[in-house]
Amino acid sequence: MNVAFNCLLEEYKTPFGCVMENQPCSLTVKVPDYYAVSGVDVILTTDTAYGMQVSFELTDTQDGYQIYKTQFSLPRCGLYFYHFRCQGAQGPFQVYRCGETDTSINQGDLWQLTCYPRQFHTPKAYAGAVMYQIFPDRFFRSGSCDLTEKLQPYWVHENWDDTPHYLPNEHGEVLNNDFFGGNLRGIREKLPYLKRMHVDVIYLNPISMAFSNHRYDTADYMRPDPMLGTEEDFSALCADAHKLGMKVILDGVFSHTGSNSVYFDRNHIFGHGAVSDPNSPYRSWFDFQEYPNRYTSWWGIDTLPCVNEMDPAFLEHIITGENSVIAHWMSLGADGFRLDVADELPDDFIALFRQRLKELNPEALLLGEVWEDASNKISYGARRKYFSHGELDSVMNYPFRSAILSFLAQPDANRFRANIMSVVEHYPQEVLHCLMNSLSTHDTPRILTLLGDSFDGSKQEKANRFLSEDAKLWAVRRECAAAALQFTLPGMPCIYYGDEAGLEGFEDPFNRRCFPWGRELTSLQTAYESLSRIKGRYAALKRGHITFENPNDHVIHFIRTLNGQRIHTIVNGGSDPMTLPITGQLLFQSYINMEKRLLHLEPWGVAIILE
């Protein structure tokens, strides 16, 4: 018998997961009688010198255990780690976490407890919303735009179905200056399609003026790229989206600018950048080791000079000024921002950004790009305060993506549960329900390709490599299973444009092909449409608790529960069919045979059932 403590069960810890500052937290520890313990303490520590020690009270003996209980509250926000110290007959010993639910003596892991501000809240509209990510150049082209001020050189593909250019030029440089002409009017024209897909939130990759097609090399924060259109086009897009009940989120790139920009002006085009003008008002934004040729750049890429985010002039331009970048785009109709590479932005910058954003619109969303568990992330030697200090409403939830892909590659339902519940435990509940849950993004291979082709050849080989018909059928089956998990787990499922239409592609730029209008894979599109409708219709899928009832290692079965509404998601990852009774209304099915009141799930079959 081990010391019993399972932080995932209310029997041992309430509330589940995180706590607000000064919120009572109750713990119960069961110690076997034969340990002859005379006292138990919980030891809470932080990365700073601050910590707490709280004593337990012996309240009962039961089934060979001494039952110890305590209650405490944390007066300071922060990330805490805790373990237990027991006073035994032979002296004190420590109790640590062992795996997901067990304990071990004098060695093991610490439990984690996030304490966040009591006044922290996320915008209600985003809980369980359906998000749609658009790479603007590749979604849809409507009419033409005035390209007079488009940064040179660039070229536009004549064929919408071309493969994006990937080969280096004669200098060995990949310029990313090939365009397809997708624009803001094109997105606006396709809003009825997004509405049919039950989309609630549109997330746009960068739209500000830039040299490249990805536009992460900002040239002017205050204007749209000429290839995309005008401020009026953006305002019209937001206005029409709002009429249809959709929000529009922009991509904020604030750790660096482009070298070919108003601010840096290495090409001497704009006239008053930090390089072209030694007295430039933007000079203090950048870190020059040897002016003007040696400077700090993002990951050593000299076309992406890093900015000093806490420079007063930069802060005024981006955040605090009356017509700052935030204020400018919010006034045009934006509903929030995704912060690119949030790990590389100082906590103080993010806190100021949030403060101004919420002053402009308390219901605006602030989402950060973080690839790992954002609750305990350490970047550049510092523990981040995304949740413990209420900085971000949401993050890109790559841990859920990793859990789904891991299960699809090698089914292990218990490992899947542990990976999911780790995030559920570590994140504040309001954050959990508006996490951005993606299967693909502009930074990853397309989900259909990942599930159908493990090829690892050269970029040139990947450029024109597509799935065979048989491989595609199998990949589509598995993508339906992945999407069912994506849409029924806590958070905002985010469709990367074209995933629902069967777009394929390895890594950048092949994952950024144009949307295949008129050639969509309708079976997959219908599945996504159904999942989006279900997500929007049932409150349990938006804000409900999650529990697991996995029957074996190859089958995922979890339940979302809210106010008596219970929705089951079952995915068969085994190589053999499985049978289960129909215990309610079948909301969604994929690769299932029905016989009277029985469901037969084929391999990678899915059932979503309202109990």
Side-chain angles (χ1 to χ4, degrees):
M1 296 170 66
N2 292 338
V3 174
F5 178 76
N6 182 353
C7 62
L8 303 180
L9 299 180
E10 289 186 357
E11 178 183 356
Y12 295 94
K13 178 180 177 293
T14 58
F16 173 84
C18 306
V19 295
M20 294 181 289
E21 56 185 336
N22 296 313
Q23 179 182 11
C25 179
S26 298
L27 301 178
T28 298
V29 173
K30 300 179 181 180
V31 184
D33 289 339
Y34 60 78
Y35 278 68
V37 165
S38 60
V40 176
D41 297 314
V42 58
I43 313 296
L44 297 110
T45 59
T46 65
D47 290 336
T48 66
Y50 183 74
M52 288 179 63
Q53 177 176 327
V54 182
S55 296
F56 283 72
E57 179 183 354
L58 177 62
T59 62
D60 198 4
T61 58
Q62 182 180 339
D63 300 327
Y65 285 98
Q66 294 179 327
I67 313 299
Y68 284 87
K69 294 181 180 290
T70 193
Q71 186 179 88
F72 63 93
S73 60
L74 297 170
R76 294 189 189 181
C77 295
L79 182 66
Y80 293 79
F81 298 95
Y82 65 97
H83 71 285
F84 305 106
R85 184 172 65 196
C86 299
Q87 187 62 46
Q90 306 301 318
F93 61 89
Q94 315 297 319
V95 179
Y96 293 96
R97 188 172 190 168
C98 180
E100 188 182 12
T101 60
D102 208 351
T103 66
S104 61
I105 303 300
N106 291 333
Q107 61 180 353
D109 300 316
L110 298 170
W111 287 272
Q112 177 180 314
L113 180 61
T114 297
C115 179
Y116 62 95
R118 181 170 287 275
Q119 70 273 18
F120 172 79
H121 295 288
T122 62
K124 293 181 180 179
Y126 296 90
V130 175
M131 181 180 272
Y132 194 92
Q133 178 185 351
I134 293 176
F135 194 80
D137 185 59
R138 312 288 161 82
F139 187 60
F140 189 65
R141 179 177 59 224
S142 178
S144 59
C145 298
D146 182 357
L147 301 181
T148 305
E149 297 187 48
K150 176 63 188 163
L151 292 176
Q152 303 276 356
Y154 69 89
W155 58 282
V156 181
H157 291 262
E158 294 183 3
N159 185 353
W160 184 254
D161 299 323
D162 279 354
T163 295
H165 193 66
Y166 63 95
L167 295 172
N169 62 16
E170 64 274 16
H171 304 295
E173 303 167 318
V174 178
L175 297 180
N176 296 306
N177 66 337
D178 64 312
F179 292 82
F180 287 82
N183 53 24
L184 296 170
R185 273 179 281 168
I187 299 170
R188 184 183 175 198
E189 191 170 314
K190 290 298 183 180
L191 287 176
Y193 166 74
L194 298 180
K195 185 65 176 178
R196 178 165 66 84
M197 295 300 295
H198 308 283
V199 170
D200 302 301
V201 183
I202 301 168
Y203 154 48
L204 300 177
N205 284 112
I207 66 169
S208 290
M209 183 179 182
F211 170 77
S212 74
N213 52 44
H214 55 69
R215 300 187 176 93
Y216 282 95
D217 54 335
T218 310
D220 189 342
Y221 284 114
M222 303 297 277
R223 58 180 291 193
D225 191 83
M227 185 74 73
L228 291 176
T230 64
E231 284 186 1
E232 291 73 22
D233 291 330
F234 178 73
S235 287
L237 167 62
C238 292
D240 284 1
H242 293 161
K243 289 175 185 176
L244 293 172
M246 288 182 263
K247 310 285 189 183
V248 178
I249 304 298
L250 294 180
D251 212 335
V253 187
F254 303 121
S255 72
H256 55 270
T257 69
S259 60
N260 190 2
S261 66
V262 171
Y263 318 105
F264 200 75
D265 199 22
R266 190 176 69 174
N267 296 10
H268 296 261
I269 291 173
F270 297 96
H272 293 288
V275 169
S276 61
D277 179 1
N279 299 312
S280 168
Y282 309 115
R283 175 78 178 267
S284 62
W285 288 23
F286 304 98
D287 179 26
F288 289 96
Q289 289 84 50
E290 185 180 294
Y291 182 81
N293 297 320
R294 289 184 60 235
Y295 49 88
T296 303
S297 61
W298 189 75
W299 289 72
I301 302 171
D302 65 0
T303 56
L304 301 175
C306 289
V307 299
N308 301 313
E309 293 94 346
M310 297 308 294
D311 176 76
F314 183 73
L315 289 175
E316 182 177 7
H317 188 75
I318 302 298
I319 300 175
T320 61
E322 183 177 352
N323 189 34
S324 65
V325 171
I326 301 178
H328 177 72
W329 289 104
M330 294 295 285
S331 71
L332 293 175
D335 297 291
F337 286 86
R338 167 199 179 263
L339 294 179
D340 183 54
V341 292
D343 292 341
E344 300 180 29
L345 300 173
D347 281 304
D348 288 345
F349 177 89
I350 297 176
L352 281 171
F353 196 101
R354 179 186 183 84
Q355 179 181 337
R356 183 67 194 281
L357 182 67
K358 299 295 183 175
E359 287 171 357
L360 293 166
N361 180 1
E363 293 303 305
L365 182 75
L366 185 59
L367 184 152
E369 180 194 13
V370 183
W371 285 67
E372 303 84 7
D373 183 330
S375 69
N376 53 33
K377 179 68 186 286
I378 296 175
S379 62
Y380 298 92
R383 181 82 69 180
R384 302 313 302 262
K385 302 175 181 177
Y386 302 134
F387 304 147
S388 62
H389 287 66
E391 293 176 356
L392 295 174
D393 295 316
S394 174
V395 291
M396 299 180 74
N397 192 11
Y398 282 104
F400 273 17
R401 175 181 180 270
S402 297
I404 292 171
L405 292 180
S406 177
F407 181 78
L408 287 160
Q410 189 173 357
D412 184 335
N414 289 325
R415 182 174 61 186
F416 177 85
R417 182 203 65 234
N419 289 336
I420 297 300
M421 291 307 297
S422 177
V423 171
V424 174
E425 178 192 0
H426 289 172
Y427 288 27
Q429 288 295 295
E430 289 194 33
V431 172
L432 178 71
H433 296 311
C434 58
L435 291 175
M436 178 180 168
N437 296 340
S438 299
L439 296 177
S440 313
T441 72
H442 60 291
D443 287 326
T444 71
R446 289 276 179 182
I447 183 64
L448 195 62
T449 298
L450 274 178
L451 298 179
D453 193 351
S454 59
F455 181 72
D456 191 27
S458 69
K459 210 154 194 176
Q460 193 162 359
E461 291 173 303
K462 291 177 179 178
N464 294 297
R465 183 181 174 93
F466 298 95
L467 298 175
S468 68
E469 286 305 311
D470 286 345
K472 182 180 288 189
L473 285 173
W474 185 243
V476 166
R477 176 186 291 224
R478 284 151 53 81
E479 183 173 341
C480 286
L485 295 171
Q486 175 195 21
F487 274 77
T488 55
L489 285 168
M492 294 189 294
C494 182
I495 305 169
Y496 181 45
Y497 81 101
D499 272 0
E500 81 281 17
L503 263 188
E504 300 177 37
F506 291 90
E507 69 276 4
D508 166 27
F510 311 124
N511 57 354
R512 302 174 184 179
R513 285 187 168 92
C514 294
F515 192 101
W517 298 107
R519 296 179 291 103
E520 299 93 333
L521 194 58
T522 55
S523 61
L524 196 54
Q525 210 168 25
T526 300
Y528 274 91
E529 184 179 351
S530 297
L531 289 167
S532 294
R533 183 178 63 254
I534 292 166
K535 185 74 170 184
R537 182 173 294 176
Y538 295 98
L541 294 180
K542 287 177 168 288
R543 298 181 302 277
H545 301 293
I546 183 170
T547 55
F548 281 81
E549 294 189 0
N550 296 342
N552 59 57
D553 287 346
H554 297 100
V555 176
I556 292 172
H557 180 181
F558 59 79
I559 307 169
R560 301 291 306 281
T561 307
L562 183 69
N563 297 330
Q565 188 178 86
R566 290 167 57 85
I567 296 179
H568 299 248
T569 297
I570 302 124
V571 175
N572 179 19
S575 56
D576 298 316
M578 66 167 292
T579 300
L580 64 144
I582 301 176
T583 56
Q585 179 185 351
L586 187 61
L587 301 179
F588 177 85
Q589 58 176 303
S590 176
Y591 297 95
I592 283 179
N593 297 309
M594 299 179 63
E595 180 185 355
K596 296 182 180 179
R597 296 297 296 171
L598 294 176
L599 291 178
H600 303 287
L601 277 70
E602 299 177 20
W604 299 113
V606 177
I608 301 175
I609 300 171
L610 173 64
E611 187 177 313

